[in-house]
Amino acid sequence: PWTNVTRPPEDQIYIQNQLLAKKGPPIPDELKKQYEAYDFIQLCLIPVVNERPMAKTLLDHPYPRVRTG
């Protein structure tokens, strides 16, 4: 979907390696102090579809409830 975005070759290799290793993108370190936000993002970014919680389950996580409540 991002065919109009050009990235340097080293970024392309990094992204390709992350996908092959079934790792999600890095999460900023400053979020590690906000446990609920960090945990929620980790769950959303699980690369293996069968291991990732469904959207309904993710909406029951405390983080979105804090943001919308």
Side-chain angles (χ1 to χ4, degrees):
W2 303 98
T3 56
N4 62 337
V5 177
T6 52
R7 301 187 76 90
E10 59 273 7
D11 282 359
Q12 292 174 1
I13 292 169
Y14 172 77
I15 293 168
Q16 184 178 27
N17 286 338
Q18 291 292 94
L19 291 171
L20 289 172
K22 297 191 185 290
K23 294 181 182 176
I27 301 171
D29 287 335
E30 55 267 14
L31 282 180
K32 289 183 180 179
K33 295 176 186 173
Q34 300 175 19
Y35 173 76
E36 288 179 348
Y38 186 82
D39 184 56
F40 179 74
I41 293 170
Q42 271 190 313
L43 291 171
C44 290
L45 297 177
I46 294 173
V48 180
V49 176
N50 294 336
E51 294 176 10
R52 186 181 324 127
M54 296 184 74
K56 184 176 180 179
T57 304
L58 289 169
L59 288 174
D60 287 335
H61 191 278
Y63 182 70
R65 286 187 286 166
V66 167
R67 309 298 284 168
T68 59

Coordinates of all heavy atoms in Angstrom, one line a residue:
P1 N 0.8 -1.2 0.0 CA 0.0 0.0 0.0 C 0.8 1.3 0.0 O 0.3 2.3 -0.2 CB -0.8 -0.1 1.3 CG 0.0 -1.0 2.2 CD 0.7 -1.9 1.3
W2 N 2.1 1.2 0.3 CA 3.0 2.3 0.4 C 3.9 2.5 -0.8 O 5.0 2.9 -0.7 CB 3.8 2.3 1.6 CG 3.0 2.1 2.9 CD1 2.7 1.0 3.5 CD2 2.3 3.2 3.5 NE1 1.9 1.2 4.6 CE2 1.6 2.6 4.6 CE3 2.2 4.5 3.4 CZ2 0.8 3.3 5.5 CZ3 1.4 5.3 4.2 CH2 0.7 4.7 5.3
T3 N 3.4 2.2 -2.0 CA 4.2 2.2 -3.2 C 4.7 3.6 -3.6 O 5.7 3.8 -4.3 CB 3.5 1.6 -4.4 OG1 2.2 2.3 -4.6 CG2 3.2 0.1 -4.2
N4 N 4.0 4.6 -3.1 CA 4.4 6.0 -3.4 C 5.4 6.6 -2.5 O 5.9 7.7 -2.6 CB 3.2 6.9 -3.5 CG 2.4 7.0 -2.2 OD1 2.5 6.1 -1.3 ND2 1.7 8.1 -2.0
V5 N 5.8 5.8 -1.4 CA 6.8 6.2 -0.5 C 8.1 5.6 -0.8 O 8.2 4.4 -0.9 CB 6.3 5.8 1.0 CG1 7.4 6.2 2.0 CG2 5.0 6.4 1.3
T6 N 9.1 6.4 -1.0 CA 10.4 5.9 -1.2 C 11.2 5.9 0.1 O 11.2 6.9 0.8 CB 11.2 6.7 -2.3 OG1 11.1 8.1 -2.0 CG2 10.5 6.4 -3.7
R7 N 11.9 4.9 0.3 CA 12.8 4.7 1.5 C 14.2 4.4 1.1 O 14.4 3.7 0.1 CB 12.2 3.7 2.4 CG 10.8 3.9 2.9 CD 10.4 2.9 3.9 NE 10.9 3.1 5.2 CZ 10.3 3.9 6.1 NH1 9.2 4.4 5.8 NH2 10.9 4.1 7.3
P8 N 15.1 4.8 1.9 CA 16.5 4.4 1.6 C 16.7 2.9 1.7 O 15.9 2.2 2.4 CB 17.3 5.1 2.7 CG 16.4 5.9 3.5 CD 15.0 5.6 3.1
P9 N 17.6 2.3 0.9 CA 17.7 0.9 0.9 C 17.9 0.3 2.2 O 17.4 -0.8 2.5 CB 19.0 0.6 0.0 CG 19.1 1.9 -0.9 CD 18.5 3.0 0.0
E10 N 18.7 0.9 3.1 CA 18.9 0.3 4.5 C 17.6 0.2 5.2 O 17.4 -0.7 6.0 CB 20.0 1.1 5.2 CG 19.7 2.6 5.5 CD 20.1 3.5 4.4 OE1 20.6 3.1 3.3 OE2 20.0 4.7 4.6
D11 N 16.7 1.2 5.1 CA 15.4 1.1 5.7 C 14.6 -0.1 5.1 O 13.9 -0.8 5.9 CB 14.6 2.4 5.5 CG 15.0 3.5 6.5 OD1 15.9 3.3 7.3 OD2 14.4 4.6 6.4
Q12 N 14.7 -0.3 3.8 CA 13.9 -1.4 3.2 C 14.5 -2.7 3.7 O 13.7 -3.6 4.0 CB 14.1 -1.3 1.7 CG 13.4 -0.1 1.1 CD 13.6 0.1 -0.4 OE1 14.3 -0.7 -1.0 NE2 13.0 1.1 -1.0
I13 N 15.8 -2.8 3.8 CA 16.3 -4.1 4.3 C 15.9 -4.3 5.8 O 15.6 -5.4 6.2 CB 17.9 -4.0 4.2 CG1 18.2 -4.1 2.7 CG2 18.5 -5.2 4.9 CD1 19.7 -3.8 2.4
Y14 N 15.9 -3.2 6.6 CA 15.5 -3.3 8.0 C 14.1 -3.8 8.1 O 13.8 -4.8 8.9 CB 15.7 -2.0 8.7 CG 15.1 -2.0 10.1 CD1 15.8 -2.6 11.2 CD2 13.9 -1.4 10.4 CE1 15.3 -2.6 12.4 CE2 13.3 -1.4 11.6 CZ 14.0 -2.0 12.7 OH 13.5 -2.0 13.9
I15 N 13.2 -3.2 7.3 CA 11.8 -3.6 7.4 C 11.6 -5.0 6.9 O 10.9 -5.8 7.5 CB 10.9 -2.6 6.5 CG1 10.9 -1.2 7.1 CG2 9.5 -3.1 6.3 CD1 10.4 -0.1 6.2
Q16 N 12.3 -5.4 5.8 CA 12.2 -6.8 5.3 C 12.7 -7.8 6.4 O 12.1 -8.8 6.6 CB 13.1 -6.9 4.1 CG 13.0 -8.2 3.4 CD 13.8 -8.3 2.1 OE1 14.8 -7.5 2.0 NE2 13.4 -9.1 1.2
N17 N 13.8 -7.4 7.1 CA 14.3 -8.3 8.1 C 13.4 -8.5 9.3 O 13.2 -9.5 9.8 CB 15.7 -7.9 8.6 CG 16.8 -8.2 7.6 OD1 16.6 -9.0 6.7 ND2 17.9 -7.4 7.7
Q18 N 12.7 -7.3 9.6 CA 11.7 -7.4 10.7 C 10.6 -8.3 10.3 O 10.1 -9.1 11.2 CB 11.2 -6.0 11.0 CG 12.2 -5.1 11.7 CD 12.6 -5.5 13.1 OE1 13.6 -6.2 13.3 NE2 11.8 -5.1 14.0
L19 N 10.1 -8.2 9.1 CA 9.0 -9.0 8.7 C 9.4 -10.5 8.6 O 8.6 -11.4 9.0 CB 8.5 -8.6 7.3 CG 7.8 -7.2 7.3 CD1 7.6 -6.8 5.8 CD2 6.5 -7.2 8.0
L20 N 10.6 -10.8 8.1 CA 11.0 -12.2 8.0 C 11.2 -12.8 9.4 O 11.0 -14.0 9.6 CB 12.3 -12.2 7.2 CG 12.2 -12.0 5.7 CD1 13.6 -11.9 5.1 CD2 11.3 -13.1 5.1
A21 N 11.7 -12.0 10.4 CA 11.9 -12.4 11.7 C 10.5 -12.4 12.5 O 10.5 -12.8 13.7 CB 12.9 -11.6 12.4
K22 N 9.5 -12.0 11.9 CA 8.1 -11.9 12.5 C 8.2 -11.0 13.7 O 7.6 -11.3 14.8 CB 7.6 -13.3 12.8 CG 7.3 -14.1 11.6 CD 6.6 -15.4 11.9 CE 6.4 -16.3 10.8 NZ 5.6 -15.9 9.7
K23 N 8.9 -9.9 13.6 CA 8.9 -8.9 14.7 C 8.1 -7.7 14.2 O 8.2 -7.3 13.1 CB 10.4 -8.5 14.9 CG 11.2 -9.6 15.5 CD 12.6 -9.0 15.8 CE 13.5 -10.1 16.3 NZ 14.9 -9.6 16.5
G24 N 7.5 -7.1 15.1 CA 6.8 -5.8 14.8 C 7.7 -4.7 14.9 O 8.9 -4.8 15.2
P25 N 7.2 -3.5 14.5 CA 8.1 -2.3 14.6 C 8.5 -2.0 16.0 O 7.8 -2.4 16.9 CB 7.2 -1.2 14.0 CG 5.8 -1.7 14.2 CD 5.9 -3.2 14.1
P26 N 9.6 -1.3 16.2 CA 10.0 -0.9 17.5 C 9.0 0.1 18.2 O 8.4 0.9 17.5 CB 11.3 -0.2 17.4 CG 11.4 0.2 15.9 CD 10.5 -0.7 15.2
I27 N 8.8 0.0 19.4 CA 7.9 0.9 20.2 C 8.8 1.9 20.9 O 9.8 1.5 21.6 CB 7.0 0.1 21.2 CG1 6.2 -0.9 20.4 CG2 6.1 1.0 22.0 CD1 5.4 -1.9 21.3
P28 N 8.5 3.1 20.9 CA 9.3 4.1 21.5 C 9.6 3.8 23.0 O 8.6 3.4 23.7 CB 8.6 5.5 21.4 CG 7.7 5.2 20.2 CD 7.3 3.8 20.2
D29 N 10.8 4.0 23.5 CA 11.2 3.7 24.9 C 10.4 4.5 25.9 O 10.1 4.1 27.0 CB 12.7 3.9 25.1 CG 13.5 2.9 24.4 OD1 13.0 1.7 24.3 OD2 14.7 3.1 24.1
E30 N 10.0 5.8 25.5 CA 9.3 6.6 26.4 C 7.9 6.0 26.8 O 7.3 6.4 27.8 CB 9.1 8.0 26.0 CG 8.5 8.2 24.6 CD 9.5 8.3 23.5 OE1 10.7 7.9 23.7 OE2 9.1 8.6 22.4
L31 N 7.4 5.1 26.0 CA 6.1 4.5 26.3 C 6.2 3.4 27.3 O 5.2 2.9 27.9 CB 5.4 4.0 25.0 CG 4.7 5.0 24.1 CD1 4.1 4.3 22.9 CD2 3.7 5.7 24.9
K32 N 7.5 2.9 27.5 CA 7.6 1.8 28.5 C 7.2 2.2 29.9 O 6.8 1.4 30.7 CB 9.1 1.3 28.4 CG 9.4 0.5 27.2 CD 10.8 0.0 27.2 CE 11.1 -0.8 25.9 NZ 12.4 -1.3 25.8
K33 N 7.3 3.5 30.2 CA 6.9 4.0 31.5 C 5.4 4.0 31.6 O 4.9 4.0 32.7 CB 7.5 5.4 31.7 CG 9.0 5.4 31.8 CD 9.5 6.8 31.9 CE 11.0 6.8 31.8 NZ 11.5 8.2 31.8
Q34 N 4.7 4.0 30.5 CA 3.2 4.0 30.5 C 2.8 2.6 30.2 O 2.5 2.2 29.0 CB 2.7 5.0 29.5 CG 3.1 6.4 29.7 CD 2.6 7.3 28.6 OE1 1.7 7.0 27.9 NE2 3.2 8.5 28.5
Y35 N 2.8 1.7 31.2 CA 2.6 0.3 31.0 C 1.4 0.0 30.1 O 1.5 -0.8 29.2 CB 2.5 -0.5 32.3 CG 2.1 -1.9 32.1 CD1 3.1 -2.8 31.6 CD2 0.8 -2.4 32.3 CE1 2.8 -4.1 31.4 CE2 0.5 -3.7 32.0 CZ 1.5 -4.6 31.6 OH 1.2 -5.9 31.3
E36 N 0.2 0.6 30.4 CA -1.0 0.2 29.6 C -0.9 0.5 28.1 O -1.3 -0.2 27.3 CB -2.2 0.9 30.2 CG -2.6 0.2 31.6 CD -3.8 0.9 32.2 OE1 -4.2 2.0 31.8 OE2 -4.3 0.3 33.2
A37 N -0.3 1.7 27.9 CA -0.1 2.1 26.4 C 0.8 1.2 25.7 O 0.6 0.7 24.6 CB 0.4 3.6 26.4
Y38 N 2.0 0.9 26.4 CA 3.0 0.0 25.8 C 2.4 -1.4 25.6 O 2.6 -2.0 24.5 CB 4.2 -0.1 26.7 CG 5.4 -0.8 26.2 CD1 6.2 -0.2 25.3 CD2 5.6 -2.1 26.5 CE1 7.3 -0.9 24.8 CE2 6.7 -2.8 26.0 CZ 7.5 -2.2 25.1 OH 8.6 -2.9 24.6
D39 N 1.7 -1.9 26.5 CA 1.1 -3.3 26.4 C 0.1 -3.3 25.3 O 0.1 -4.2 24.5 CB 0.5 -3.7 27.7 CG -0.1 -5.1 27.7 OD1 0.7 -6.0 27.4 OD2 -1.3 -5.3 28.0
F40 N -0.7 -2.3 25.2 CA -1.7 -2.2 24.1 C -1.1 -2.2 22.8 O -1.5 -2.9 21.9 CB -2.6 -1.0 24.3 CG -3.7 -0.8 23.3 CD1 -4.8 -1.6 23.3 CD2 -3.6 0.1 22.3 CE1 -5.8 -1.5 22.3 CE2 -4.5 0.3 21.3 CZ -5.6 -0.5 21.3
I41 N -0.1 -1.4 22.6 CA 0.6 -1.3 21.3 C 1.3 -2.6 20.9 O 1.2 -3.0 19.8 CB 1.6 -0.1 21.3 CG1 0.8 1.2 21.4 CG2 2.5 -0.1 20.0 CD1 1.6 2.5 21.6
Q42 N 1.9 -3.2 21.9 CA 2.5 -4.5 21.7 C 1.5 -5.5 21.2 O 1.8 -6.3 20.2 CB 3.2 -5.1 23.0 CG 4.6 -4.6 23.2 CD 5.2 -5.4 24.3 OE1 4.6 -5.6 25.4 NE2 6.4 -5.9 24.1
L43 N 0.4 -5.5 21.8 CA -0.7 -6.5 21.4 C -1.2 -6.2 20.0 O -1.4 -7.1 19.2 CB -1.9 -6.4 22.3 CG -1.6 -7.0 23.7 CD1 -2.8 -6.7 24.7 CD2 -1.4 -8.5 23.7
C44 N -1.3 -4.9 19.6 CA -1.8 -4.5 18.3 C -0.8 -4.9 17.2 O -1.2 -5.1 16.1 CB -2.1 -3.0 18.3 SG -3.5 -2.5 19.2
L45 N 0.5 -4.9 17.5 CA 1.5 -5.0 16.5 C 2.1 -6.5 16.5 O 3.1 -6.7 15.8 CB 2.7 -4.1 16.8 CG 2.3 -2.6 16.7 CD1 3.5 -1.7 17.1 CD2 1.8 -2.3 15.3
I46 N 1.4 -7.4 17.1 CA 1.9 -8.8 16.9 C 1.7 -9.2 15.5 O 0.7 -9.1 14.9 CB 1.0 -9.8 17.8 CG1 1.2 -9.4 19.3 CG2 1.3 -11.2 17.5 CD1 0.3 -10.2 20.2
P47 N 2.9 -9.5 14.8 CA 2.9 -9.8 13.4 C 2.1 -11.0 12.9 O 1.6 -11.1 11.8 CB 4.3 -9.8 13.0 CG 5.1 -10.0 14.2 CD 4.2 -9.6 15.4
V48 N 2.0 -12.0 13.8 CA 1.3 -13.3 13.4 C -0.2 -13.1 13.7 O -0.6 -13.0 14.8 CB 1.9 -14.5 14.1 CG1 1.2 -15.8 13.7 CG2 3.4 -14.6 13.9
V49 N -0.9 -13.1 12.6 CA -2.4 -12.8 12.7 C -3.1 -13.7 13.7 O -3.9 -13.2 14.5 CB -3.0 -12.9 11.3 CG1 -4.5 -12.6 11.4 CG2 -2.4 -11.9 10.4
N50 N -2.8 -15.0 13.7 CA -3.5 -15.9 14.6 C -3.1 -15.7 16.1 O -3.8 -16.2 16.9 CB -3.2 -17.3 14.2 CG -3.8 -17.7 12.8 OD1 -4.7 -17.0 12.4 ND2 -3.2 -18.6 12.2
E51 N -2.0 -15.0 16.3 CA -1.6 -14.7 17.7 C -2.1 -13.4 18.2 O -2.1 -13.1 19.4 CB -0.1 -14.8 17.8 CG 0.5 -16.2 17.6 CD 2.0 -16.3 17.6 OE1 2.6 -15.3 18.0 OE2 2.5 -17.3 17.2
R52 N -2.5 -12.5 17.3 CA -2.9 -11.1 17.6 C -4.3 -11.2 18.1 O -5.2 -11.8 17.5 CB -2.8 -10.3 16.4 CG -3.1 -8.8 16.7 CD -3.0 -7.9 15.4 NE -1.9 -8.4 14.5 CZ -2.1 -8.6 13.2 NH1 -3.3 -8.5 12.7 NH2 -1.1 -9.0 12.5
P53 N -4.6 -10.5 19.2 CA -6.0 -10.4 19.7 C -6.9 -9.8 18.7 O -6.5 -8.9 17.9 CB -5.9 -9.6 21.0 CG -4.5 -9.6 21.4 CD -3.7 -9.8 20.1
M54 N -8.2 -10.2 18.7 CA -9.2 -9.6 17.8 C -9.5 -8.1 18.3 O -9.3 -7.8 19.4 CB -10.4 -10.4 17.7 CG -10.2 -11.8 17.1 SD -11.7 -12.8 17.0 CE -12.4 -11.9 15.6
A55 N -10.0 -7.3 17.4 CA -10.3 -5.9 17.7 C -11.2 -5.8 18.9 O -11.0 -5.0 19.8 CB -10.9 -5.2 16.5
K56 N -12.2 -6.7 19.0 CA -13.1 -6.6 20.1 C -12.4 -6.8 21.5 O -12.6 -6.2 22.4 CB -14.2 -7.6 20.0 CG -15.3 -7.6 21.0 CD -16.4 -8.6 20.7 CE -17.4 -8.5 21.9 NZ -18.5 -9.3 21.7
T57 N -11.4 -7.8 21.4 CA -10.6 -8.0 22.6 C -9.8 -6.9 23.0 O -9.6 -6.5 24.1 CB -9.8 -9.3 22.4 OG1 -10.7 -10.4 22.1 CG2 -9.0 -9.7 23.7
L58 N -9.1 -6.3 21.9 CA -8.3 -5.1 22.2 C -9.1 -3.9 22.7 O -8.5 -3.2 23.6 CB -7.6 -4.7 20.9 CG -6.5 -5.7 20.4 CD1 -6.1 -5.3 18.9 CD2 -5.3 -5.7 21.3
L59 N -10.3 -3.8 22.3 CA -11.1 -2.7 22.9 C -11.4 -2.9 24.3 O -11.8 -1.9 25.0 CB -12.4 -2.5 22.0 CG -12.1 -1.9 20.7 CD1 -13.4 -1.9 19.9 CD2 -11.5 -0.5 20.7
D60 N -11.3 -4.1 24.8 CA -11.5 -4.3 26.3 C -10.3 -4.0 27.1 O -10.3 -4.1 28.3 CB -12.0 -5.8 26.5 CG -13.4 -6.0 26.0 OD1 -14.2 -5.1 26.0 OD2 -13.7 -7.2 25.7
H61 N -9.2 -3.8 26.5 CA -7.9 -3.5 27.1 C -8.1 -2.1 27.9 O -8.8 -1.2 27.5 CB -6.8 -3.3 26.1 CG -5.4 -3.3 26.7 ND1 -4.9 -2.1 27.2 CD2 -4.5 -4.2 26.9 CE1 -3.7 -2.3 27.7 NE2 -3.4 -3.6 27.5
P62 N -7.5 -2.0 29.1 CA -7.6 -0.7 29.8 C -7.2 0.5 29.1 O -7.8 1.6 29.3 CB -6.7 -1.0 31.1 CG -6.5 -2.4 31.1 CD -6.7 -3.0 29.8
Y63 N -6.2 0.4 28.2 CA -5.7 1.7 27.6 C -6.8 2.4 26.7 O -7.0 3.6 26.9 CB -4.5 1.4 26.8 CG -3.9 2.6 26.1 CD1 -3.3 3.6 26.9 CD2 -4.0 2.8 24.8 CE1 -2.8 4.8 26.3 CE2 -3.5 4.0 24.2 CZ -2.9 4.9 25.0 OH -2.4 6.1 24.4
P64 N -7.5 1.7 25.8 CA -8.5 2.5 25.0 C -9.6 3.0 25.9 O -10.2 4.0 25.6 CB -9.0 1.5 24.0 CG -8.1 0.3 24.0 CD -7.3 0.4 25.3
R65 N -9.9 2.3 27.0 CA -11.0 2.7 27.9 C -10.6 4.0 28.6 O -11.4 4.9 28.8 CB -11.4 1.6 28.8 CG -12.2 0.5 28.1 CD -12.7 -0.5 29.1 NE -11.5 -1.3 29.5 CZ -11.5 -2.1 30.6 NH1 -12.6 -2.2 31.3 NH2 -10.5 -2.8 30.9
V66 N -9.3 4.1 28.9 CA -8.9 5.4 29.6 C -8.9 6.5 28.6 O -9.3 7.6 28.9 CB -7.4 5.2 30.1 CG1 -6.8 6.5 30.5 CG2 -7.4 4.2 31.3
R67 N -8.6 6.2 27.3 CA -8.5 7.3 26.3 C -9.9 7.8 25.9 O -10.1 8.9 25.5 CB -7.8 6.8 25.1 CG -6.4 6.2 25.4 CD -5.5 7.2 26.0 NE -5.0 8.1 25.0 CZ -4.3 9.2 25.2 NH1 -4.1 9.5 26.4 NH2 -3.9 10.0 24.3
T68 N -10.9 6.9 26.0 CA -12.3 7.2 25.5 C -13.2 7.5 26.6 O -14.3 8.0 26.4 CB -12.8 6.1 24.6 OG1 -12.9 4.9 25.3 CG2 -12.0 5.9 23.4
G69 N -12.9 7.1 27.8 CA -13.8 7.2 28.9 C -13.7 8.5 29.6 O -14.4 9.3 30.0

